[in-house]
Amino acid sequence: MTTAPDYRLDLDVVVVAPDGQFAAFAQGWVDAENGIGLFEPVGTHPDFRKLGLCRAVIYEGLRRMHAAGATEAHVYPYENHDASQVYRKLGFQTRGKIIAYRKAL
């Protein structure tokens, strides 16, 4: 992902635990022409959940996206995933649903 033409290191946010483990992260992308920021991927290590670290990386990511020209931000968690509730608590609103198809090979 870091070799993508629109990748920006300054939009990556990482929380590192005192022991050096990555505790939480959010990678941000900005489409400045359309003013849209995107979080993909976002994660918190299971040992560090329920500490507010997801909130911290999202808020810092939003700040950086805004500074880069975004006027809104999107994130696409799995609908049945606990993260959906986290994003709603952070002020994200459901805008639509994505339908994915799969085929076993």
Side-chain angles (χ1 to χ4, degrees), residues 49-66:
R49 292 189 179 148
K50 307 285 186 197
L51 299 175
L53 300 180
C54 180
R55 176 193 320 231
V57 296
I58 292 292
Y59 281 161
E60 177 59 18
L62 290 170
R63 187 192 68 75
R64 293 179 187 191
M65 287 178 185
H66 187 311

Side-chain angles (χ1 to χ4, degrees), residues 1-82:
M1 290 172 47
T2 60
T3 60
D6 56 348
Y7 172 75
R8 292 180 49 173
L9 178 64
D10 63 314
L11 296 176
D12 289 353
V13 182
V14 178
V15 174
V16 181
D19 67 359
Q21 266 190 99
F22 279 16
F25 64 91
Q27 188 168 26
W29 302 84
V30 170
D31 173 352
E33 184 175 325
N34 294 301
I36 297 173
L38 171 66
F39 287 106
E40 178 63 33
V42 177
T44 303
H45 187 283
D47 292 346
F48 298 98
R49 292 189 179 148
K50 307 285 186 197
L51 299 175
L53 300 180
C54 180
R55 176 193 320 231
V57 296
I58 292 292
Y59 281 161
E60 177 59 18
L62 290 170
R63 187 192 68 75
R64 293 179 187 191
M65 287 178 185
H66 187 311
T71 57
E72 66 180 62
H74 298 194
V75 64
Y76 299 101
Y78 296 109
E79 186 57 35
N80 62 350
H81 194 273
D82 291 339

